[in-house]
């Protein structure tokens, strides 16, 4: 892929949440490519401060139950609990992003490990787009829910959020570009 084509692919990426995604989602082989792209993030040699937990197929029911339990635990209405449950059931592929931060690493401080996770997520989202799917990174209160964290993490890990991926349910509209001037300033 030429540099220009790669840049055009990045500039055309859309973020779509779960309610806008349908089957098919990425295959096992494509998920491996997505993970390879994530591993190309700045990594400081052998240190990999993240892992992915892929949820698809029948496993979506278990995640659905966990999301519904979370919604109940925070006092959401019955209708909102069903929406949370359905959300997990309907997303073709959810990839939980798990942080494994080594607070006592002798060379790589924690903030650099967190930056690596951000780079890994960006690479994964871009790879998903380049494979022809849509995706979005989701977070929120669920990342701190004990039942969800216990189901996905081992002690010492933190749940960062989910990458949701699938086929766009409708044609993508051209995004209104954000103003570049709003995110750049020059130090003089």
């Amino acid at each position: 892929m030429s540099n220009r084509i790669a840049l055009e692919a990045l500039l055309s990426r859309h973020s779509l949440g779960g309610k806008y995604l349908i089957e098919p989602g990425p295959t096992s082989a494509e998920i491996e490519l997505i993970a390879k792209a994530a591993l190309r993030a700045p990594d400081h040699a052998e240190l990999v401060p993240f892992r992915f937990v892929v949820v698809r197929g029948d496993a979506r029911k278990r995640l659905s139950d966990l999301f519904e339990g979370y919604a109940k635990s925070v006092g959401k209405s019955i209708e909102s609990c069903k929406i949370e449950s359905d959300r997990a059931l309907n997303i073709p592929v959810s990839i939980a992003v798990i942080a494994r931060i080594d607070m006592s690493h002798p060379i790589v401080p924690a903030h650099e490990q967190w930056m690596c996770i951000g780079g890994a997520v960006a690479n994964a989202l871009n790879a998903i787009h380049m494979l022809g799917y849509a995706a979005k990174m989701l977070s929120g209160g669920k990342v701190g829910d004990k039942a969800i964290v216990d189901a996905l993490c081992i002690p010492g890990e933190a749940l960062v959020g989910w990458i949701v991926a699938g086929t766009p349910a409708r044609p993508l509209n051209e995004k209104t570009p954000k103003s570049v001037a709003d995110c750049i300033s020059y130090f003089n």
Side-chain angles (χ1 to χ4, degrees):
M1 177 181 286
S2 78
N3 290 340
R4 177 62 62 186
I5 292 171
L7 182 58
E8 287 173 11
L10 287 173
L11 294 174
S12 69
R13 188 171 77 74
H14 288 72
S15 292
L16 286 182
K19 65 183 176 181
Y20 302 109
L21 300 174
I22 59 175
E23 294 285 352
T27 65
S28 294
E30 290 170 327
I31 289 170
E32 287 186 22
L33 289 172
I34 293 162
K36 284 181 182 180
L39 288 167
R40 291 298 207 164
D43 63 355
H44 302 290
E46 299 301 315
L47 183 64
V48 179
F50 68 91
R51 70 182 177 93
F52 292 154
V53 177
V54 179
V55 181
R56 62 182 185 177
D58 293 340
R60 293 183 296 188
K61 175 62 175 132
R62 184 165 176 226
L63 188 61
S64 169
D65 291 343
L66 289 166
F67 279 18
E68 183 176 8
Y70 163 76
K72 287 178 182 175
S73 76
V74 296
K76 291 194 177 189
S77 69
I78 292 170
E79 182 179 309
S80 293
C81 290
K82 174 137 179 51
I83 290 170
E84 288 288 344
S85 173
D86 288 348
R87 198 171 274 154
L89 279 175
N90 295 331
I91 295 169
V93 175
S94 295
I95 303 170
V97 179
I98 310 295
R100 302 187 302 186
I101 304 299
D102 181 352
M103 298 300 285
S104 61
H105 196 280
I107 300 170
V108 186
H111 73 274
E112 289 185 17
Q113 295 175 55
W114 282 108
M115 290 185 330
C116 178
I117 294 169
V121 168
N123 282 8
L125 290 169
N126 290 328
I128 291 166
H129 171 69
M130 290 175 191
L131 289 168
Y133 301 100
K136 187 173 189 173
M137 177 70 185
L138 303 172
S139 190
K142 289 187 282 288
V143 300
D145 181 75
K146 182 173 176 13
I148 295 172
V149 170
D150 287 350
L152 296 168
C153 299
I154 60 173
E157 293 181 331
L159 177 59
V160 177
W162 289 266
I163 297 171
V164 295
T167 299
R170 57 181 163 68
L172 298 174
N173 296 330
E174 188 61 33
K175 266 181 131 172
T176 303
K178 295 176 182 164
S179 171
V180 173
D182 290 340
C183 73
I184 296 177
S185 62
Y186 293 90
F187 181 74
N188 294 315

